[in-house]
Amino acid sequence: MKKKKALIFGVTGQDGAYLSKFLLNKNYIVYGVKRRSSIINTQRVDDIYKDINYKSNFILLYGDLTDASSILNLIKKTNPREIYNLAAQSHVKVSFEVPEYSADVNGLGTLRILEAIRSLNLEKKVKFYQAGTSEMFGSTKEKFQNEKTSFHPVSPYGVSKCFAHWITKNYREAYGIYACNGILFNHESPIRGETFVTRKIIQGLVRIKQNYQKKLFLGNLYSKRDWGHARDYVEAMWKMLQQKKPDDYVIGTGKTFTIKEFVNIATKKMGLNIKWIGRGIKEKAIDIKSKKIIIECRKRYFRPLEVDYLKGNATKAKKILKWSPKTSIDSLIDEMIKHELNNNDQY
Ligand code: NAP
Ligand code: GDD
């Protein structure tokens, strides 16, 4: 049987690595788009590249979402049946510092892919997945957010992703492209970027526990997030492209925790006994055994505006895609700690 071909923009990111493995296990040929960088940026997919079982079906190519000609050439050259757009300047806080770039990559980048599909007359041949986000809900007051919840983004990142969402919907309705928006809540893993809060916490605490680091500095401890596992979420992306009709789906766990609660679960698992003292920016955590302060807050990690509360309602995905999350927050944290402990062997 002829192998299906998929093209992944953002292959070197957390989700790109998990999705590549998922598709290769389904016998796809995977073309991944990496961007040029002065230092090797393929660490997350190096194991795939070296694996004899995957190697010949996994091809990395250069491209950039800010470069329309590269996108067009890549699609022409690889002739994929499925395109996953996972590429983005994905850090919310950083988007306040590079708003124009974030809009260019996240917003216009999506449009560039859709336009390439149209220019190559692939409207009826290619299926397109757009990596949307719960950040689009922004300052919502809904207790649970689903596909009907209105968007009120509160960061340049959120705004750029709203553009991508609507342009994907627009191209679906105007040109009949099989294009889906996944509206994914936070998903983490041992290979999560080190500046996102879950990885930062686990990495920091493991280093503190092993005496490689003295303190962990955080921002807002009271925002709430619905955290799932990236491995489960990439399956939902694929499922969206296997339906009869394209549609948009919310993907989340339906559970929410504060950053402080995440810290408390993680410290307990690591056998660190902590006590919180102080309030606001002066709030800190003390290691009861050593009596040392191990966590402090710093202004620089706060955002000009915050998404205070996220909790996803994935009923539609459960019903139509037969998708539900498999990994609990406990197992996620266990996996992240285990990975970090192994990583730290090299210190
Ligand atoms: P990530 O780890 O930050 O990966 C982003 C990927 O995009 C990386 O491969 C990055 O390349 C690439 N990229 C950045 N700018 C690019 C450009 N100009 N041209 C081409 N590629 C570029 O993000 P992730 O966590 O895997 O998330 C995947 C997607 O889902 C993103 O679009 C994100 O916004 C969205 N999303 C994520 C979550 C989540 O909780 N993880 C939730 C909802 C939506 P480098 O490796 O070279 O930097
Ligand atoms: N990054 C970071 N660093 N966040 C911190 C810190 C810190 O030191 N201290 C507290 N936080 C808080 C942030 O203010 C935010 O409320 C929460 O922790 C989560 O921050 P991140 O882990 O950076 O993720 P995010 O929720 O802003 O964005 C992620 O999830 C989105 C889906 O809702 C990213 O992956 C986005 O790309 C994704 O769309």
Side-chain angles (χ1 to χ4, degrees):
M1 219 170 72
K2 229 179 150 192
K3 288 185 177 191
K4 261 195 186 177
K5 291 197 278 186
L7 177 62
I8 304 177
F9 289 94
V11 76
T12 54
Q14 171 190 255
D15 292 5
Y18 277 98
L19 181 65
S20 297
K21 246 183 215 164
F22 177 86
L23 295 175
L24 288 163
N25 284 331
K26 291 216 167 285
N27 215 18
Y28 277 60
I29 295 176
V30 175
Y31 294 97
V33 183
K34 60 173 178 176
R35 54 183 179 154
R36 147 78 191 148
S37 113
S38 67
I39 192 159
I40 289 171
N41 62 353
T42 53
Q43 287 90 338
R44 288 191 180 104
V45 289
D46 279 348
D47 61 325
I48 304 179
Y49 213 63
K50 286 177 194 148
D51 190 325
I52 194 104
N53 297 309
Y54 297 138
K55 211 175 166 175
S56 55
N57 292 328
F58 185 64
I59 299 121
L60 292 179
L61 300 160
Y62 281 110
D64 199 298
L65 275 204
T66 57
D67 182 341
S69 63
S70 78
I71 296 171
L72 191 95
N73 289 333
L74 280 164
I75 299 177
K76 212 163 149 184
K77 186 170 169 181
T78 58
N79 192 25
R81 287 296 79 110
E82 293 172 12
I83 299 178
Y84 295 86
N85 178 25
L86 311 182
Q89 191 303 94
S90 72
H91 202 284
V92 175
K93 170 77 170 35
V94 174
S95 79
F96 285 98
E97 273 129 55
V98 287
E100 191 179 325
Y101 176 72
S102 304
D104 191 0
V105 178
N106 306 356
L108 292 180
T110 307
L111 174 60
R112 290 183 188 112
I113 301 176
L114 289 163
E115 261 302 287
I117 294 173
R118 214 167 70 80
S119 314
L120 296 166
N121 299 313
L122 295 174
E123 293 96 327
K124 301 286 176 242
K125 290 195 185 133
V126 159
K127 291 182 172 184
F128 175 72
Y129 173 83
Q130 165 55 22
T133 163
S134 47
E135 275 292 306
M136 297 187 295
F137 296 124
S139 62
T140 182
K141 295 283 174 276
E142 297 285 333
K143 204 169 164 221
F144 277 96
Q145 297 94 44
N146 68 12
E147 296 78 7
K148 295 198 174 103
T149 308
S150 22
F151 296 148
H152 189 147
V154 295
S155 66
Y157 170 80
V159 174
S160 69
K161 285 285 186 175
C162 283
F163 176 84
H165 175 95
W166 285 110
I167 203 69
T168 300
K169 214 173 157 79
N170 180 244
Y171 272 53
R172 175 168 82 213
E173 289 166 0
Y175 305 115
I177 299 177
Y178 189 113
C180 299
N181 287 297
I183 306 172
L184 272 52
F185 283 66
N186 298 49
H187 44 279
E188 320 293 309
S189 74
I191 55 165
R192 179 64 142 149
E194 293 170 2
T195 60
F196 294 98
V197 80
T198 56
R199 180 86 193 275
K200 183 174 166 184
I201 291 169
I202 302 294
Q203 198 167 59
L205 291 176
V206 166
R207 285 180 182 173
I208 289 168
K209 175 98 184 158
Q210 299 186 330
N211 289 324
Y212 294 121
Q213 185 176 322
K214 287 204 166 72
K215 278 185 195 167
L216 169 65
F217 297 102
L218 294 172
N220 181 6
L221 299 171
Y222 292 97
S223 55
K224 288 188 138 192
R225 289 293 180 273
D226 175 338
W227 282 297
H229 197 303
R231 190 174 43 228
D232 297 344
Y233 285 40
V234 299
E235 184 182 6
M237 296 175 188
W238 175 77
K239 285 193 162 190
M240 286 179 213
L241 298 197
Q242 313 310 312
Q243 305 306 306
K244 281 211 175 90
K245 283 188 190 157
D247 208 342
D248 306 330
Y249 296 91
V250 158
I251 301 295
T253 70
K255 298 195 174 84
T256 191
F257 298 87
T258 61
I259 312 305
K260 192 170 167 179
E261 283 166 337
F262 188 97
V263 171
N264 290 340
I265 301 172
T267 45
K268 210 167 164 196
K269 282 180 184 291
M270 284 181 219
L272 275 168
N273 204 355
I274 60 162
K275 186 179 154 199
W276 291 96
I277 57 162
R279 274 167 172 262
I281 196 79
K282 296 216 168 107
E283 188 158 11
K284 38 184 85 94
I286 299 176
D287 173 22
I288 294 176
K289 196 172 159 203
S290 66
K291 297 189 176 55
K292 285 184 178 149
I293 294 165
I294 59 166
I295 302 174
E296 281 186 40
C297 292
R298 285 288 180 273
K299 224 175 159 190
R300 64 174 176 274
Y301 296 118
F302 284 75
R303 290 133 195 227
L305 272 177
E306 177 66 283
V307 173
D308 293 320
Y309 173 85
L310 290 172
K311 194 178 187 183
N313 175 354
T315 306
K316 181 175 168 186
K318 277 181 192 143
K319 198 171 157 214
I320 298 171
L321 306 179
K322 314 276 180 260
W323 177 90
S324 46
K326 295 182 184 119
T327 317
S328 66
I329 189 151
D330 268 301
S331 315
L332 169 70
I333 296 178
D334 286 339
E335 201 182 317
M336 291 179 78
I337 295 174
K338 197 172 161 202
H339 174 89
E340 221 58 61
L341 285 170
N342 292 339
N343 251 359
N344 274 9
D345 286 347
Q346 61 196 304
Y347 280 89

